[in-house]
Every structure is written in structure tokens, then in C-alpha cells.
Amino acid sequence: MQKSEGSGGTQLKNRARGDYDQRTSSSTQIKHGNTVQRNKSSLSTSSPESARKLHPRPSDKLNPKTINPFGEQSRAPSAFAAIYSKGGIPCRLVHGSVKHRLQWECPPESLSFDPLLITLAEGLRETKHPYTFVSKEGFRELLLVRGASEKAVPLLPRLIPVLKAALVHSDDEVFERGLNALVQLSVVVGPSLNDHLKHLLTSLSKRLMDKKFKEPITSALQKLEQCGGSGSLSIIKSKIPTYCSICC
């Protein structure tokens, strides 16, 4: 009887030990699994890509990689560039070894100034070659043709806002092209420009503060006075009181 009880006790002890070993093994597996999971999580978050996803930089929102609204390819061509590329300007740039020139498809004097002269004036705000050269040289050559005054004067109400846009442009070269174009126009239309002069003088007055533009602007004002006659002086002085007349 005692032998039987001894055998039964041994079985109970073995069963208890087996349950304990099984629980210990399961606990070890769970801990191991948690450790592996934490390691994977740590590896994933430690990568640069994951770090950016968890902690995005402010620049990521401003400069998404999927779009670049300020890239060259995403910019639509300007109105002048589009017209020129479609053959809307009846001249082409001819590259020379010393200097460039324009080749007109037909004699410039046979061309209508409306809207060609205005389109060329709009091109003065371009900042890339060949548009910069085509616009400034085309504007100049068109005003040199016979009968240019009769063709240009009726267009002044539409030309002046375009020239003003060039004169207020932040780019210095655009401003210089606008200033030269204004002088060229003044030579052709004479006193007819006086009625529109006040709309342009404010921007010239502001640029006078810049030393590098003081001389060319003063020279331009003198040309405007010379071509505009006595009526132009009072208009210039009303906007630029410091201007000294060429008659002084």
C-alpha cells in the first residue's frame, strides 16, 4: 500500500514539474517575441526614412518631393515667349561673331504697329535670351521706320502701362530696357507723350535714389524735356522737384 502511494506521489510531482516547465517555456517564448518585436521597431524607427515619417521636418511640407511649383519645367511660358515661339513676331535673331542682329520676314515699315509694338514692349520684361534681345531691338527698329509717329501715337494709352511695368520691375536690366524704350518713344511721338508722362515719372523718381541710375535717369529726363517741349518741364518738375532743366 505504501509503495502504491509512493508511486502516485511521484507521478503528481512529475506532472507538476512538467506544468511548471511548460509555463516557463511559454513565458520565455513570449519574452523573446517581445524582444524581437522591440528590436524590429527600433530598427525601423532608427532609419532616416522612418525618422522623417515620425518627425517630419517643416521643409518637407514646404517642398514636397512630388511637386516643384517653382521649377523651370512647371513654369508656364510668358505671353511674349509663347507668341515668339509660335511665329507671332515677324523677325528672328541672327547670331553674329561680334554682335547679334534681327532679320525681319518683311520690311518693318510695311508692318502694322498694332499690336506688334505693344507686344515688343511687353517683351522688355523678359529676362532670358533670346527674348531680351528680340524685344528691345525689335522695339527700337520698329520706331525707326518711316511714319512711325503716326502709327505709335494712337497706341500710347496702351503702351504707357506696359512701359510702366518695365520701369517698376525689380530687375535692373529690365528697368534699363524700359528706360531706353521710353526715350526712343519720346523721340518719335514728341509732345504727344506729355499727357502720359506723369504716370511714368514716379518710378523714375524712386530709382533716382540709387546712385548707379542717377546719371542715366537724368539723361533720360533731359531727353524727355527736349522732345516734349516747354510743356514737359512743368510735368517733370511736379514729380521730380530736384530736376534741373536743360535750359538752365
Side-chain angles (χ1 to χ4, degrees), residues 161-174:
V162 178
L163 288 179
K164 182 179 179 179
L167 293 173
V168 300
H169 202 282
S170 59
D171 188 288
D172 289 347
E173 293 184 359
V174 172

Side-chain angles (χ1 to χ4, degrees), residues 75-89 92 119-120 122-132 134-135:
R75 287 183 180 178
S78 64
F80 181 83
I83 293 173
Y84 181 78
S85 63
K86 294 178 181 178
I89 310 296
R92 283 293 177 268
T119 302
L120 291 168
E122 290 175 341
L124 296 173
R125 285 175 287 166
E126 294 290 335
T127 57
K128 292 183 179 180
H129 185 78
Y131 311 127
T132 52
V134 172
S135 59

Side-chain angles (χ1 to χ4, degrees), residues 61-232:
K61 295 181 180 180
L62 297 175
N63 303 294
K65 294 183 179 180
T66 53
I67 58 173
N68 185 8
F70 302 105
E72 292 295 329
Q73 298 301 323
S74 61
R75 287 183 180 178
S78 64
F80 181 83
I83 293 173
Y84 181 78
S85 63
K86 294 178 181 178
I89 310 296
C91 63
R92 283 293 177 268
L93 173 64
V94 177
H95 294 273
S97 57
V98 178
K99 64 178 183 179
H100 305 320
R101 66 180 180 86
L102 290 183
Q103 180 177 339
W104 294 87
E105 296 176 0
C106 56
E109 56 267 19
S110 66
L111 296 171
S112 172
F113 277 25
D114 188 8
L116 181 56
L117 188 64
I118 298 173
T119 302
L120 291 168
E122 290 175 341
L124 296 173
R125 285 175 287 166
E126 294 290 335
T127 57
K128 292 183 179 180
H129 185 78
Y131 311 127
T132 52
F133 181 85
V134 172
S135 59
K136 72 175 182 179
E137 186 64 16
F139 188 89
R140 186 188 72 85
E141 292 186 13
L142 207 58
L143 288 177
L144 292 176
V145 304
R146 183 182 303 175
S149 178
E150 291 78 9
K151 293 181 179 182
V153 169
L155 299 179
L156 286 178
R158 294 157 60 194
L159 268 175
I160 297 306
V162 178
L163 288 179
K164 182 179 179 179
L167 293 173
V168 300
H169 202 282
S170 59
D171 188 288
D172 289 347
E173 293 184 359
V174 172
F175 170 78
E176 290 175 349
R177 287 194 291 271
L179 185 64
N180 291 333
L182 175 60
V183 171
Q184 294 160 7
L185 183 64
S186 176
V187 172
V188 172
V189 302
S192 297
L193 187 61
N194 290 347
D195 293 338
H196 310 276
L197 206 52
K198 60 182 180 180
H199 301 295
L200 304 172
L201 292 174
T202 301
S203 57
L204 297 186
S205 177
K206 292 179 179 179
R207 289 277 186 164
L208 267 173
M209 304 298 178
D210 192 334
K211 291 183 179 180
K212 65 182 175 182
F213 289 122
K214 186 174 183 179
E215 184 176 342
I217 291 177
T218 300
S219 177
L221 291 173
Q222 292 174 345
K223 198 68 176 179
L224 292 174
E225 180 189 357
Q226 179 183 350
C227 297
S230 57
S232 62

